[in-house]
Every structure is written in structure tokens, then in C-alpha cells.
Amino acid sequence: MKIIHGKILIFFGIIHSLLGVSPWAFWKQFAGFTGKFFFKISEGLFEFPLLDGQMNYENFAAFWFFYFGLLLIPIGILVNHVEKTNGQIPKNFMWIYLIIVGIGVYMIPFSGMTFLMLPHAIYMLYDSNKIHNTSNKQRNEEK
């Protein structure tokens, strides 16, 4: 198995974070965040509509878009480490990753979840099954 899945996740995380602060995405919101030194970029629960608050959806989206990219980077580093030490990623992780990506595809169909992460999740499972079938075939030949 090639050791690429962790690197792909790290790449997605870096690109996601950079795109989030780019002029084509959320630069306007991040320019506003810098005025507060990235402190208290929202009113938290006081913006919650059930508490008669008014959410700033653009700031919310900007923060989560950027933050999701930052979260992908350590996950990618961990997956890369697991790939190097164990030779393969645990099936549980792959299925959970596929489920999370599937929810993202359902919620935001025209996004990187659909066009980048879904193919990666499917490829990760395919790659794992290929390795599993090859190792089973080798074991059967040894017997």
C-alpha cells in the first residue's frame, strides 16, 4: 500500500485553510477578524436565535471553513503515521471517514466534500480491500 492517504488529507487541510483566507472566499471576514486580533469573532451563544440573537452567518462560515482545514492537518499527520507504522489504516477509521464525508456531501453537494474527499474516501477503502485481498491470497498460497 502506498503511503499517500495521510498526505492527501494534509494537502486538503492546507488548501482548505488557504482558500478560506483567500480573496475568492472569506478574505473580507478574516480582514475583520484581524481588527479584533482573532479574539471574540462572534458573540457565541448570544448570537443563537433561540436566545433572541442574530447570527452572523458569514463570520460563522468563514471560521468553520478555515478551522475545518486546520483540523484536517493533524488528522492527516496521524493517518500518515499509522500508514508508515502499520502499513494500513484501520477499517473503522475509513468507514467513519466515509460516513462523515457522506454527511458533508448530503449537506453541501456542490463542495470539496463531493469532488475531492468522497473520491478519496472511496479510494482509501478500495486500496485497503486490494491490500487485504492480496494478503489473503498470499496466505492461501503458503498453505
Side-chain angles (χ1 to χ4, degrees):
M1 183 165 136
K2 296 177 188 172
I3 301 175
I4 59 167
H5 298 295
K7 293 173 186 169
I8 289 172
L9 287 172
I10 293 167
F11 175 75
F12 286 165
I14 291 169
I15 294 302
H16 210 268
S17 296
L18 291 176
L19 181 62
V21 297
S22 73
W24 309 286
F26 298 109
W27 175 250
K28 180 179 138 189
Q29 288 77 17
F30 272 87
F33 297 164
T34 60
K36 298 177 184 178
F37 300 105
F38 293 94
F39 180 73
K40 198 174 176 182
I41 60 174
S42 81
E43 295 299 317
L45 288 176
F46 295 116
E47 286 186 6
F48 199 60
L50 286 176
L51 299 175
D52 290 328
Q54 181 64 37
M55 276 190 87
N56 185 331
Y57 293 102
E58 289 177 343
N59 284 358
F60 185 77
F63 171 77
W64 279 107
F65 193 92
F66 179 75
Y67 200 68
F68 180 70
L70 292 181
L71 289 172
L72 280 176
I73 295 169
I75 291 171
I77 291 169
L78 181 63
V79 168
N80 191 54
H81 175 73
V82 169
E83 282 180 307
K84 283 182 181 177
T85 56
N86 295 348
Q88 67 182 34
I89 304 163
K91 284 270 193 194
N92 291 343
F93 174 83
M94 287 186 258
W95 282 109
I96 291 169
Y97 177 60
L98 183 62
I99 290 167
I100 290 169
V101 169
I103 292 168
V105 167
Y106 175 77
M107 299 292 286
I108 310 172
F110 189 70
S111 71
M113 287 276 198
T114 303
F115 301 112
L116 298 173
M117 294 185 82
L118 182 60
H120 176 244
I122 292 168
Y123 175 66
M124 191 185 292
L125 278 168
Y126 169 77
D127 200 24
S128 170
N129 286 334
K130 189 171 68 173
I131 294 297
H132 183 73
N133 291 339
T134 303
S135 64
N136 281 343
K137 190 185 278 186
Q138 288 174 347
R139 275 190 230 129
N140 290 338
E141 288 173 0
E142 290 173 0
K143 290 180 181 179

